[in-house]
Amino acid sequence: MERPIRSLKEELHQPAHHTEMPDMGCALDQKKSCCDGIGYRLKPMGSLTHAELCSCVSNCPSCFGKNRKMVDGQSKPCRTPAPSRIVNFINSACLPARYSTARLDSFSNFSGNGREVVNRLSHWHREFDPDHPRGLILGGPVGVGKTYLLCAIAKNFAFKGLSVRFIDFFQLLLELKAGYAQDKSDANLLNDLINVDILFIDELGKGRNSDWELSVLDQLVMGRYNQNKIIVASTNYDLKPSTRVNYSTNLDERKPGSFELDRFESLEQRIGPRIYSRLFETSEFIELTGDDFRKKSLDEKIQNLRPQAPAAPRRGPT
Ligand SMILES: [Zn+2]
Ligand SMILES: [Zn+2]
């Protein structure tokens, strides 16, 4: 088709693509296979999960990635939340790179109650009400897939248009200590963690639980509690309120973190009754059971290193 010659004035005031391009609708409405219609793609970059807009969105012939379309003479978003907003949320979430593909429906450790837990998590996420949010504490032994599930949930919340931030509690303490060593205040980092819509804490209760470490956790938990914001956390410690502990009868002497470490140690012992009771009040407590899949794959590798029983003799040159 021959294009009519347009004057510079026409071109400036009415760009050609607005008048001539037949509107195919936004790429987001066509559920392109490049990104399954979500409009962005995730990949590992360094130690973190990185998100970028899919080219089907940035090159969309209808909205040119601006996520706006005209409906009955009014400009409306093609998709809410905009894919670019989700991309920003995921890129500021600090999700570990190794879980960049994590999805609730791809979880595969069903050696314990994994299937039931995934169903409960899906239900909890579906019913999530930002005005009356309920947090989540996921307990269970090392290597059952708690971090995987946390990352999958974090992405789902970003997809809903909520800002998320993922921290490994032990790593956070190291960062804060490094900040102190350089005479930097920890207020900015902690404020970010207190103000984000949903905070994910991996390995809750890990550390030495010194007074300082518990005061950091107390600031996070109470700061978010006062704003009606929830925490989603994983822990290797027992979720049940502790009954085995011989607490001092004097409440003032109940000093968390001062107990001997043993495998029965509970989360309540680790983080103290005050923080524990806030989390207990605001969160679902779910226990994940199953085999340690990291150990399992290590065992398999070791098995493969061992000399195999001699196979049937082979023919051919030796
Ligand atoms: Zn578009
Ligand atoms: Zn795409």
Side-chain angles (χ1 to χ4, degrees):
M1 192 170 65
E2 194 86 4
R3 286 182 179 210
I5 296 170
R6 294 157 54 86
S7 70
L8 179 61
K9 195 176 163 204
E10 272 179 317
E11 193 60 46
L12 281 175
H13 290 276
Q14 234 179 4
H17 49 249
H18 279 185
T19 52
E20 289 168 19
M21 192 84 83
D23 195 345
M24 306 290 289
C26 182
L28 288 169
D29 298 332
Q30 296 163 33
K31 208 170 191 286
K32 302 264 187 186
S33 59
C34 42
C35 56
D36 280 336
I38 58 174
Y40 61 88
R41 297 209 255 179
L42 303 177
K43 61 178 181 189
M45 189 180 273
S47 60
L48 298 177
T49 294
H50 177 77
E52 61 192 17
L53 267 192
C54 185
S55 57
C56 74
V57 173
S58 39
N59 300 330
C60 171
S62 175
C63 70
F64 309 97
K66 292 195 169 62
N67 196 50
R68 304 295 299 183
K69 61 182 172 188
M70 295 300 283
V71 180
D72 301 330
Q74 285 192 325
S75 169
K76 298 237 166 97
C78 301
R79 173 81 55 88
T80 318
S84 57
R85 187 174 155 86
I86 299 171
V87 163
N88 286 341
F89 283 158
I90 289 179
N91 286 338
S92 40
C94 300
L95 296 168
R98 66 178 287 152
Y99 301 110
S100 62
T101 57
R103 290 165 54 135
L104 278 186
D105 57 9
S106 303
F107 185 71
S108 60
N109 189 354
F110 298 130
S111 52
N113 68 346
R115 209 171 293 277
E116 184 202 325
V117 167
V118 167
N119 286 340
R120 284 183 69 185
L121 295 180
S122 307
H123 179 260
W124 164 79
H125 178 258
R126 227 179 8 255
E127 301 292 310
F128 188 82
D129 175 359
D131 294 329
H132 305 281
R134 291 282 297 162
L136 173 85
I137 311 296
L138 187 59
V142 173
V144 283
K146 300 185 300 296
T147 308
Y148 182 101
L149 290 174
L150 247 54
C151 290
I153 297 169
K155 288 192 279 182
N156 285 352
F157 277 114
F159 193 66
K160 272 191 172 183
L162 296 169
S163 61
V164 293
R165 180 74 155 77
F166 180 96
I167 53 162
D168 175 301
F169 189 63
F170 199 60
Q171 193 62 41
L172 169 71
L173 296 173
L174 292 180
E175 278 176 39
L176 290 174
K177 276 180 195 155
Y180 280 125
Q182 295 164 27
D183 254 355
K184 278 193 221 151
S185 137
D186 55 5
N188 282 350
L189 177 54
L190 284 183
N191 279 343
D192 287 350
L193 301 179
I194 289 170
N195 292 324
V196 69
D197 287 336
I198 304 188
L199 177 66
F200 290 77
I201 303 179
D202 203 17
E203 304 269 22
L204 183 63
K206 199 171 165 184
R208 288 187 304 115
N209 282 356
S210 64
D211 287 346
W212 172 73
E213 292 181 5
L214 287 169
S215 82
V216 168
L217 188 58
D218 194 76
Q219 284 178 67
L220 282 180
V221 172
M222 295 312 294
R224 295 186 62 80
Y225 179 83
N226 291 335
Q227 296 188 71
N228 194 27
K229 287 182 170 178
I230 55 138
I231 287 173
V232 178
S234 78
T235 182
N236 295 335
Y237 295 98
D238 194 344
L239 293 181
K240 288 186 282 300
S242 39
T243 48
R244 289 166 49 93
V245 188
N246 188 13
Y247 272 129
S248 162
T249 45
N250 180 351
L251 282 178
D252 294 334
E253 285 175 22
R254 283 189 182 189
K255 191 164 178 285
S258 57
F259 304 96
E260 284 294 301
L261 257 172
D262 72 46
R263 68 194 180 91
F264 294 107
E265 206 174 13
S266 73
L267 181 64
E268 184 181 13
Q269 278 171 270
R270 295 295 296 174
I271 63 179
R274 171 182 149 96
I275 303 174
Y276 178 85
S277 68
R278 282 289 175 268
L279 294 174
F280 197 79
E281 177 193 335
T282 54
S283 316
E284 305 294 323
F285 277 36
I286 297 180
E287 191 90 38
L288 176 66
T289 62
D291 295 340
D292 178 345
F293 66 84
R294 283 192 289 255
K295 183 174 177 298
K296 209 168 144 194
S297 68
L298 184 69
D299 286 347
E300 278 163 13
K301 275 183 196 154
I302 290 171
Q303 196 65 38
N304 290 339
L305 287 175
R306 294 208 178 107
Q308 301 291 310
R314 277 194 218 157
R315 286 173 181 238
T318 54

